[in-house]
């Protein structure tokens, strides 16, 4: 079974590189972003079916909960691995 990774702050920069590395290694990736909607959408398209972007402010517990529900709805799974890259 393919593992699902949630990378926070993955819309651009180091987080985007981490997300891409996981996809290239055979993982599915949930790309978390807050302000980088265009960059996260572009990255998601670039990475194909193994990745999807999800907006949430990780400082807000309700937004995290809603994002996790959206991730489960999209991938039929909750994340197995968390890479906490967001500042």
């Amino acid at each position: 079974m393919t593992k699902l990774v949630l990378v926070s702050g993955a819309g651009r920069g180091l987080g985007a590189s981490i997300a891409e590395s996981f996809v290239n290694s055979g993982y599915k990736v949930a790309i978390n972003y807050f302000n980088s909607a265009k960059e996260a959408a572009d990255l998601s398209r670039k990475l194909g079916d193994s990745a999807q972007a999800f907006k949430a402010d990780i400082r807000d517990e309700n937004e995290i909960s809603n994002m996790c529900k959206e991730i489960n709805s999209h991938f039929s799974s909750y994340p197995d691995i968390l890479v906490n890259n967001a500042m």
Side-chain angles (χ1 to χ4, degrees), residues 32-47:
N32 162 253
Y33 71 94
F34 183 54
N35 291 320
S36 305
K38 181 187 180 323
E39 294 90 338
D42 290 346
L43 179 62
S44 179
R45 278 191 293 279
K46 175 183 174 185
L47 299 179

Side-chain angles (χ1 to χ4, degrees), residues 3 8 28 36-38 44 53 61 64 69 74-75 83-84:
K3 297 276 185 178
S8 68
K28 297 182 286 184
S36 305
K38 181 187 180 323
S44 179
E61 187 175 334
I64 294 169
K69 290 174 187 172
H74 180 81
F75 287 108
V83 177
N84 193 9

Side-chain angles (χ1 to χ4, degrees), residues 6 32 34 54-71 78:
L6 168 58
N32 162 253
F34 183 54
F54 299 91
K55 181 179 182 178
D57 180 348
I58 64 164
R59 299 170 296 183
D60 185 315
E61 187 175 334
N62 290 327
E63 288 195 30
I64 294 169
S65 179
N66 289 335
M67 176 182 63
C68 287
K69 290 174 187 172
E70 291 174 13
I71 290 170
Y78 289 101

Side-chain angles (χ1 to χ4, degrees), residues 16-32:
S17 295
I18 293 168
E20 186 170 0
S21 179
F22 271 107
V23 168
N24 290 339
S25 296
Y27 292 81
K28 297 182 286 184
V29 176
I31 300 165
N32 162 253

